[in-house]
Amino acid sequence: MKDLSDKSTFQHLTSIPVLVASLGYLVDMYDLFLYNIVRVPSLKSLGLADDQLVKIGIGLLLNLQMAGMLIGGIFWGILGDKKGRLSVLFGSILIYSLANICNGLVTSVQGYAILRFLAGFGLAGELGVGVTLVVEILPKSIRGYGTTLVATMGVFGALLAFSIVHFFEWRVSYFIGGGLGLMLMVLRLRVFESGIFIKLKEANTRRGDLGLLVSNKTRILKYVTCIVMGAPIWFVVGILITLAPELGKAMQLGEPVDAGKAVLFVFAAQVAGNLVSGFFSQYLQSRKKVIFIFMAGSLLFALTLLLGPIEHATEYYILCLCLGFCSGYWTLFITVAAELFGSNLRATVATTVPNFVRATIIPLSSLFIFLKGYLVDNMNADINTGTLRAALITGLITYALGMVALLYLEETFKKDMNYIEEN
């Protein structure tokens, strides 16, 4: 382990481990939102009709991708605590890269579904283990800046996906994503292991054991509340943004809403949101206060989008900017998850929690589809009203649960990272 004690803040934040974790999340977000952008053109090129784009594109492919991330999060998180942070950084990016290249070669919906699952499985290890490595190697006074950098680079990954799709067709865009992952593997050869994990390994402590998590009521409650707290972010991404074309049509806007532009505006604004929330939490010395402010702002703009008298696509994009900024508490959410648990469970928690949050798109999209059908078939709502009301009800439930969960979480700003979870 290198001695970092005499380094400046800038040197800490530009060290190889921090940069590699940041670039890993960039690749992660590139793939996740590349699919959102190319969902319609890629499925149409495989022969699907317009009325199948939501059912197959969201109900099957996106849900399988998120299921892969859910399973992968558990696998990579346990591996990160048992074998080390570096083993995950190499294994996850290799699987993701190969799966993404194969995504560009797909010729059937069945093949596409399998590859989205595999890509999700590979990507699942990137964010949580990257954040774990960052919070363990940086001094606690600046680790909030480190995780802010990681999340901000991830947002640039979404913007990169939009830019690439603008110049290349969807198959080439997948090839580029796979190539970026393979190049990142080379840079990771220079990353050193977390000193906290090295000491943990030498002490032969029980680690990466789900029994430690589920056997203790306090730990499992903290774990679940972390997931619920992050769910509103994925409501914005998975419903309001991914389904932007369908929601825009339901609003009977003057022109169609483009999913790619919606992603661009959301994640361009999230760059600012990540930076502001990270620095604001350092200023206030509180994670919870800032998360509450951003979550409340997100709720306000979501209600404005679904209830307000929006008449033009431009207004939809403006609200996407606002929602993106308020979704910038993703950085703090991951940081809190990592800080809440000891080093022998930290990678497991930090890797599985964000992937469980991402996987909330499964119940959220299922609830949305159910409510839409129920309102249209049983409540005599027309298809446009049913779509908007289904999104509204789904959102209200998600935000209410998120705020209750935040209320019960402890403040972690000044918490020391060098501790373990006892049996």
Side-chain angles (χ1 to χ4, degrees), residues 29 86 92 153 168 179 182 214 236 238 259 268 289 300 313 317 329 343 365 384 413:
M29 293 289 278
L86 296 186
S92 64
M153 288 298 290
F168 300 97
L182 294 176
V214 301
V236 170
K289 291 179 182 177
L300 175 64
Y317 297 138
Y329 77 87
S343 56
S365 62
N384 293 334
F413 182 84

Side-chain angles (χ1 to χ4, degrees), residues 149-166:
L149 176 61
V150 171
T152 300
M153 288 298 290
V155 172
F156 279 118
L159 301 180
L160 178 62
F162 176 84
S163 301
I164 292 297
V165 171
H166 183 72

Side-chain angles (χ1 to χ4, degrees), residues 311-370:
E311 298 180 352
H312 303 286
T314 300
E315 296 172 62
Y316 198 109
Y317 297 138
I318 291 173
L319 286 169
C320 286
L321 283 169
C322 299
L323 286 164
F325 180 84
C326 292
S327 295
Y329 77 87
W330 178 256
T331 305
L332 297 184
F333 151 70
I334 302 300
T335 304
V336 168
E339 292 173 338
L340 277 171
F341 293 84
S343 56
N344 55 331
L345 277 179
R346 187 167 298 134
T348 299
V349 171
T351 302
T352 55
V353 163
N355 288 305
F356 269 110
V357 170
R358 286 164 166 167
T360 59
I361 190 57
I362 298 174
L364 288 177
S365 62
S366 298
L367 178 60
F368 168 79
I369 292 171
F370 166 77

Side-chain angles (χ1 to χ4, degrees), residues 32 85 88 118 128 144 149 175 275 281 297 300 324 327 332 348 375:
L32 286 178
R85 315 323 188 198
V88 174
L118 291 175
L149 176 61
F175 295 150
L275 291 172
S281 72
L300 175 64
S327 295
L332 297 184
T348 299
L375 291 168

Side-chain angles (χ1 to χ4, degrees), residues 59-81:
L60 176 63
L61 270 65
L62 183 60
N63 282 351
L64 277 175
Q65 173 185 292
M66 294 308 172
M69 300 196 76
L70 181 61
I71 296 171
I74 296 171
F75 174 81
W76 297 117
I78 292 174
L79 187 67
D81 278 327

